[in-house]
Amino acid sequence: MSYIGKTPTPVPLTSSDIADNIITSAKIVDGAIVTADIADANVTAAKLASGTVQNQSAFKNIIINGDMSIAQRATSTSSITSSGYHSLDRFRTSYDTAGTWTQSQSTDVPTGQGFAKSLKMDCTTANGSLSAGSFLAIQSKFEGQNLQYLKKGTSSAESLTLSFWVKSNKTGTYIANLYDADNNRYIAKSYTISSANTWEKKTITYAGDTSGAFGNDNATSLELKFILAAGTTYTSGTLATSWESATNANTAVGQVNLADSTSNEWYITGVQLEAGTTASDFEFLPVDVNTQRCQRYYENLITKENQSMLCSGYNQDSGQVQGILRFRVDKRATPTMGYEVGIAYQATSQTARTDTTPLFYQASSKSVLVYATSNVSVTAGQGVNLVNRDNGTGMVFANSEL
């Protein structure tokens, strides 16, 4: 380019010259920018348009199974009138006299967002007049040792941003809160479902808390709750929109009663909780990674299929068999072992096949001793397999949930 008069002095481009979200992949010619052209710290995450760099921060999402793709226990559970993990992994129901529910893994998802599954709550017995202590929420719990980077309890405490897709026929105000279990502190924010039966994306930012550090251990430090119904015990105060010592009355002020009709349904997917004051694109993980993260807390050890194997072992003597069952993933803590009522097993060797009931001893975070008494004579020292013969209904599990 030619100039009239003196040639202008070149001025380097700095980050302050670039508007946020303006740089996209399409704007950059291959090979046009090399490392030497970029001053240190001039390109920040804020300058990059969404999707320009994929997976900018691995495991940025504190939520496990936020895409609702893993459901080891069941894909649908009906007649829910108690707290606990009923279907989808890492999402617990908190319940007290708020109707009867079916919880399921649904294929109803927001169009074009990459999700295949959602969590669905379906009211099957209504409670239109909640008692004072009535409560219903979907919650997720997190270990303190995974949250140290949030610097909670210091002057540098990180804000947290929650984003999710939600749908319900019941419009109105809903509450999503964070609870610090180590210090009995919490913060609550509201969101509004504006259009009935329409997927809507919501984003909520919670300020960092400069009081009360999270414990650096494998116990519960933080809980996220999506509240669906709450009695006056939880709604009679002022909503705690800033961190404060937990007070029941300030938990769910303004919350609609999703339990007031059997027509009511509530869906959620794409749940992401991350450090910072802005929501980034949902972090999709490979299914094997997502499954293993869930199995740290709960693992199905045998499939619901006839003749699926629990473990190999040996005949300790003529009437007893035992084996070591190693978990696929180290558990958060020593798990509780269990199996479904009515499950039957066979101890199978070259010379004998017998029905038996397994017992579990000496469990650790890595393995458990499986022991069974045979009701027919077997040969001591001979190898044996413990297999499920319950025609597709049996399940053994290791539970190390928060």
Side-chain angles (χ1 to χ4, degrees):
M1 178 181 292
S2 58
Y3 299 92
I4 299 174
K6 297 176 64 178
T7 301
T9 302
V11 178
L13 190 67
T14 67
S15 59
S16 61
D17 298 317
I18 305 172
D20 289 351
N21 300 314
I22 202 66
I23 301 176
T24 67
S25 302
K27 298 292 193 297
I28 304 172
V29 177
D30 289 346
I33 300 176
V34 297
T35 305
D37 297 324
I38 305 172
D40 291 345
N42 269 0
V43 176
T44 63
K47 305 301 179 188
L48 300 174
S50 177
T52 301
V53 179
Q54 298 294 328
N55 297 322
Q56 296 177 37
S57 176
F59 302 109
K60 64 185 176 183
N61 191 1
I62 296 172
I63 305 292
I64 296 174
N65 198 31
D67 63 354
M68 309 300 172
S69 61
I70 309 299
Q72 294 186 84
R73 294 169 179 83
T75 56
S76 182
T77 300
S78 60
S79 303
I80 295 173
T81 56
S82 63
S83 297
Y85 291 91
H86 296 298
S87 61
L88 281 80
D89 283 59
R90 305 301 301 126
F91 285 89
R92 180 180 184 272
T93 302
S94 180
Y95 176 93
D96 191 347
T97 61
T100 304
W101 298 83
T102 294
Q103 183 182 99
S104 61
Q105 184 185 49
S106 173
T107 56
D108 189 334
V109 294
T111 302
Q113 300 301 318
F115 301 107
K117 306 289 185 180
S118 64
L119 182 154
K120 176 184 178 182
M121 293 292 289
D122 180 18
C123 183
T124 56
T125 301
N127 184 348
S129 299
L130 298 175
S131 62
S134 293
F135 191 77
L136 179 66
I138 301 300
Q139 67 181 147
S140 195
K141 300 183 178 184
F142 316 104
E143 298 176 52
Q145 63 188 358
N146 293 332
L147 304 173
Q148 297 303 302
Y149 69 98
L150 298 178
K151 302 181 285 292
K152 189 176 181 298
T154 74
S155 59
S156 301
E158 296 278 358
S159 296
L160 286 168
T161 294
L162 173 67
S163 55
F164 56 96
W165 287 87
V166 66
K167 171 183 173 179
S168 178
N169 64 293
K170 180 81 170 178
T171 59
T173 300
Y174 291 74
I175 306 299
N177 68 29
L178 298 178
Y179 174 65
D180 170 4
D182 290 323
N183 302 286
N184 194 33
R185 293 173 60 78
Y186 72 164
I187 185 172
K189 293 294 182 74
S190 65
Y191 66 94
T192 301
I193 293 181
S194 303
S195 300
N197 303 311
T198 303
W199 280 103
E200 300 174 352
K201 186 175 183 180
K202 306 299 178 182
T203 300
I204 300 171
T205 296
Y206 303 88
D209 187 13
T210 58
S211 298
F214 289 139
N216 188 17
D217 53 32
N218 65 349
T220 301
S221 285
L222 182 65
E223 300 177 13
L224 167 65
K225 291 182 181 178
F226 293 98
I227 300 174
L228 304 179
T232 55
T233 296
Y234 306 99
T235 62
S236 59
T238 301
L239 191 65
T241 56
S242 299
W243 283 98
E244 62 177 47
S245 295
T247 302
N248 281 341
N250 300 342
T251 300
V253 180
Q255 171 69 42
V256 302
N257 178 14
L258 191 70
D260 66 4
S261 171
T262 55
S263 298
N264 290 345
E265 299 172 338
W266 182 84
Y267 300 79
I268 191 168
T269 194
V271 183
Q272 183 151 291
L273 183 66
E274 59 191 306
T277 57
T278 58
S280 62
D281 290 344
F282 184 83
E283 181 181 46
F284 289 97
L285 297 177
V287 65
D288 57 333
V289 175
N290 205 9
T291 300
Q292 288 170 3
R293 297 186 79 197
C294 292
Q295 287 174 336
R296 173 172 172 79
Y297 303 93
Y298 179 93
E299 181 182 338
N300 280 347
L301 299 165
I302 189 169
T303 60
K304 294 186 176 185
E305 296 175 0
N306 195 29
Q307 298 298 314
S308 58
M309 190 168 72
L310 179 63
C311 68
S312 296
Y314 71 99
N315 298 321
Q316 186 177 12
D317 54 38
S318 61
Q320 297 175 336
V321 299
Q322 70 175 32
I324 297 294
L325 176 58
R326 301 188 185 280
F327 306 135
R328 298 181 185 92
V329 175
D330 286 359
K331 299 294 169 276
R332 178 190 64 85
T334 300
T336 299
M337 303 299 302
Y339 57 88
E340 290 183 343
V341 175
I343 193 170
Y345 285 87
Q346 285 184 339
T348 304
S349 67
Q350 290 182 340
T351 60
R353 181 184 297 264
T354 177
D355 293 347
T356 185
T357 299
L359 302 173
F360 303 99
Y361 296 98
Q362 301 176 9
S364 71
S365 62
K366 296 180 181 294
S367 63
V368 64
L369 174 66
V370 183
Y371 175 86
T373 300
S374 174
N375 58 14
V376 298
S377 180
V378 293
T379 303
Q382 190 174 63
V384 66
N385 292 328
L386 279 171
V387 299
N388 177 16
R389 72 156 194 86
D390 204 34
N391 298 319
T393 62
M395 184 171 66
V396 174
F397 57 85
N399 187 347
S400 188
E401 288 284 6
L402 291 165

